[in-house]
Amino acid sequence: MQTLPFLIDNTWSTGSGKPFDSINPADGSVLATVAGASAADVNAAVVAARKAFAAPSWRDLKPHDRASLLYRMSELMTRQQEALAVLQMQDNGKTLSECRAQVASAASTFRYYAAACETFESPVTPSRGAYWTVTLYEPVGVVAAITPWNSPVTLEAQKLAPILAAGNTVVLKPSDVTPMMGLAYARLALEAGFPPGVVNVITGGAETGQQLIEHPGIAMVSFTGGTATGRLIAKTCGAALKPVALELGGKSPNIVFADADLKKAIAGTAEGIFSGAGQSCIAGSRIFVQQAIYDRFLEGLRQYAEGYRMGEPDQADTRTGPLASFKHRDHVHRYVELGRSEGAQVLTGGVIPTDPALRRGAYYPATILAGVSNGSRVCQEEIFGPVAVVLPFADESDLIAQANDSDFGLASGIWTSDFSRAWRVARALETGTVWINTYKQLSITTPFGGVKDSGIGTEKGLQGMRVYMHSKGLYWGLN
Ligand code: NAD
């Protein structure tokens, strides 16, 4: 099998690091052998990106011309939607229907930031003397973008589009578990016509990531991934006084009050944790249910979970494909075993499938744990799989205390028919996003980010582009 190269300075290279395999988690086959970037390759990518940042072909490009390149990315993605969706499905195991939707969403991210790029304004601020003052927003320089494996096509678009719209150059390092979309973005950027060195994509693991963020030519780090890695990255960036944006893990409470529409709440909370096999930072993994409806809810959720068909990700009736890797599937299963040892009842799921059709892949069923307190490890730690922990609560104040008793603060959901309660609880929850009578709806126009151990900074919306810019105050004397 030929080694797939990465892209530095608009040139494909197999570099001098150790190649590695990308595995299709649906059957364990090798999808591709991918080049590994060495320290020398990391350096070459950063040097190319620095040169491109200063080159007139990028620096002097007017915002509407920069926008044209981003529109072109969006058009190319729309045209190649099916091929890109199949590629992500093979690399990551998500269902084909979810991959199609994610490619469409990623294409719209490039469109949104193209529009933002050409309509972006610099405010003239009130003067306090004989001068004129304006706030200019300028690109920070070379941004290192580091991404995880759970939704590569959307998460990488969420970084590339605003970084480029803001006028920066970028070195993207996708996860070594799912390198294929990052390499697809490299090809798309070449096709779209970005000047050399503006978009560089290098492939490799943690060591490559560490070398990249430590490089003195990197002006800013934008990271999405686990909280433990985020802490390490923050430490490195802190020592170098490099700005850093961190989108990290979650253990999101999804809350059902007794006055909720039960059928919708069951479907909404089930989809909130089981869709994408629970490998989502915003998965509603702690489900809080008011005592009066606890038993009825639990029975409804169990039935829903048992109807959640596992299967080949390209089959139309498949609700959930395999997890992204065998290693991760085993990690999820260990958490279920830990839950058992903490006294949890496993209401459904909790076993690695032995069915011959599923045995070849990294499958894991929708699993429900109950009977543990919010202080248990399965309630406090991110499992990142299709595992819901269901907990009862007595009243609003008990609920708020339990829901906020978490190191994480990424997202939350509330199911109720009482709008003033929805408002009160939404204001009291310590999370970056709150959904009311819906869950996991996302729009590129709305800022997204975590509080507490779930991150620092905001992606999406206009703020998601400003994050990659310095503000410069300019005073122009009038005397
Ligand atoms: P991870 O932290 O293991 O890896 C993420 C990326 O960081 C990978 O590209 C990896 O190679 C790289 N990396 C690892 N160590 C590094 C280091 N020392 N220096 C630089 N780079 C390094 O995370 P993962 O297992 O790939 O992804 C799952 C995690 O991502 C979950 O915790 C999930 O909640 C989180 N996530 C968060 C969001 C969000 O928006 N908040 C979105 C998706 C996923």
Side-chain angles (χ1 to χ4, degrees):
M1 196 179 269
Q2 242 187 346
T3 302
L4 284 186
F6 44 72
L7 189 75
I8 296 176
D9 214 10
N10 280 7
T11 305
W12 294 107
S13 161
T14 46
S16 52
K18 194 164 170 271
F20 61 95
D21 290 338
S22 169
I23 304 292
N24 181 343
D27 58 12
S29 63
V30 176
L31 180 60
T33 300
V34 176
S38 64
D41 300 321
V42 170
N43 182 54
V46 179
V47 167
R50 274 185 77 90
K51 198 169 97 220
F53 183 67
S57 59
W58 181 246
R59 192 195 57 206
D60 296 346
L61 205 61
K62 297 275 181 291
H64 70 282
D65 291 325
R66 224 155 58 214
S68 296
L69 290 168
L70 295 169
Y71 282 125
R72 181 107 181 96
M73 286 291 279
S74 173
E75 284 160 18
L76 289 170
M77 291 186 77
T78 305
R79 227 178 290 152
Q80 299 172 26
Q81 181 183 11
E82 193 62 13
L84 291 168
V86 169
L87 189 64
Q88 175 168 275
M89 175 193 77
Q90 292 172 335
D91 206 21
N92 161 288
K94 276 185 192 301
T95 62
L96 187 53
S97 57
E98 187 181 355
C99 291
R100 285 185 184 125
Q102 287 202 332
V103 174
S105 162
S108 81
T109 296
F110 280 95
R111 216 162 45 235
Y112 174 82
Y113 283 108
C117 178
E118 59 181 340
T119 56
F120 198 72
E121 295 176 356
S122 292
V124 174
T125 44
S127 160
R128 295 196 165 200
Y131 51 80
W132 182 77
T133 75
V134 63
T135 309
L136 299 174
Y137 296 107
E138 299 186 338
V140 293
V142 182
V143 181
I146 300 187
T147 49
W149 46 258
N150 62 313
S151 290
V153 74
T154 48
L155 297 174
E156 283 155 18
Q158 251 162 254
K159 298 212 183 295
L160 291 174
I163 288 170
L164 296 166
N168 301 286
T169 59
V170 64
V171 180
L172 168 69
K173 194 211 75 69
S175 167
D176 49 338
V177 180
T178 53
M180 303 303 276
M181 294 318 303
L183 294 175
Y185 276 123
R187 181 180 53 73
L188 289 164
L190 260 186
E191 238 178 298
F194 282 90
V198 172
V199 179
N200 307 278
V201 179
I202 53 172
T203 39
E207 199 185 335
T208 307
Q210 185 72 34
Q211 286 161 349
L212 180 61
I213 63 164
E214 281 176 358
H215 196 293
I218 292 295
M220 176 173 175
V221 175
S222 177
F223 171 78
T224 300
T227 294
T229 316
R231 264 188 226 291
L232 280 177
I233 289 179
K235 212 168 158 186
T236 305
C237 291
L241 289 182
K242 256 179 217 181
V244 60
L246 302 170
E247 295 288 344
L248 308 177
K251 191 76 187 181
S252 300
N254 207 348
I255 300 152
V256 185
F257 283 95
D259 62 7
D261 177 323
L262 192 61
K263 201 163 162 226
K264 285 189 184 152
I266 288 169
T269 50
E271 294 293 336
I273 178 67
F274 301 134
S275 62
Q279 301 166 111
S280 164
C281 54
I282 51 177
S285 47
R286 284 186 302 153
I287 303 179
F288 289 99
V289 183
Q290 199 156 19
Q291 256 151 10
I293 56 160
Y294 182 76
D295 291 339
R296 264 194 303 148
F297 176 90
L298 216 51
E299 178 51 21
L301 188 71
R302 190 188 59 76
Q303 284 178 20
Y304 199 103
E306 286 176 0
Y308 221 77
R309 193 182 166 280
M310 270 184 293
E312 301 264 326
D314 60 350
Q315 298 302 304
D317 60 346
T318 292
R319 302 291 297 284
T320 180
L323 272 65
S325 71
F326 290 87
K327 185 174 161 214
H328 184 60
R329 190 270 310 272
D330 294 346
H331 168 83
V332 168
H333 185 57
R334 277 197 299 276
Y335 261 111
V336 173
E337 293 296 300
L338 170 71
R340 283 194 173 99
S341 73
E342 288 184 305
Q345 298 155 257
V346 181
L347 298 187
T348 187
V351 279
I352 293 176
T354 50
D355 175 334
L358 300 175
R359 224 173 23 207
R360 288 183 315 147
Y363 289 92
Y364 203 75
T367 299
I368 302 174
L369 307 182
V372 278
S373 75
N374 187 50
S376 62
R377 282 184 60 193
V378 285
C379 287
Q380 289 293 321
E381 296 174 21
E382 186 183 41
I383 299 175
F384 216 57
V387 182
V389 192
V390 187
L391 298 133
F393 70 90
D395 54 25
E396 223 173 281
S397 63
D398 172 34
L399 174 270
I400 288 165
Q402 290 199 67
N404 285 343
D405 179 16
S406 168
D407 290 338
F408 295 108
L410 194 57
S412 54
I414 303 166
W415 298 84
T416 179
S417 55
D418 179 339
F419 74 88
S420 44
R421 165 185 287 144
W423 172 252
R424 273 194 311 273
V425 175
R427 297 304 305 265
L429 290 170
E430 296 164 354
T431 62
T433 296
V434 183
W435 285 285
I436 298 168
N437 292 328
T438 182
Y439 201 82
K440 254 185 151 181
Q441 299 279 349
L442 291 166
S443 157
I444 190 61
T445 58
T446 308
F448 177 87
V451 298
K452 296 158 63 173
D453 284 1
S454 290
I456 300 174
T458 304
E459 287 198 336
K460 302 190 173 182
L462 291 182
Q463 182 59 28
M465 178 172 157
R466 280 273 302 279
V467 146
Y468 300 112
M469 300 172 115
H470 289 305
S471 51
K472 180 186 276 178
L474 190 131
Y475 292 72
W476 199 307
L478 299 176
N479 286 335

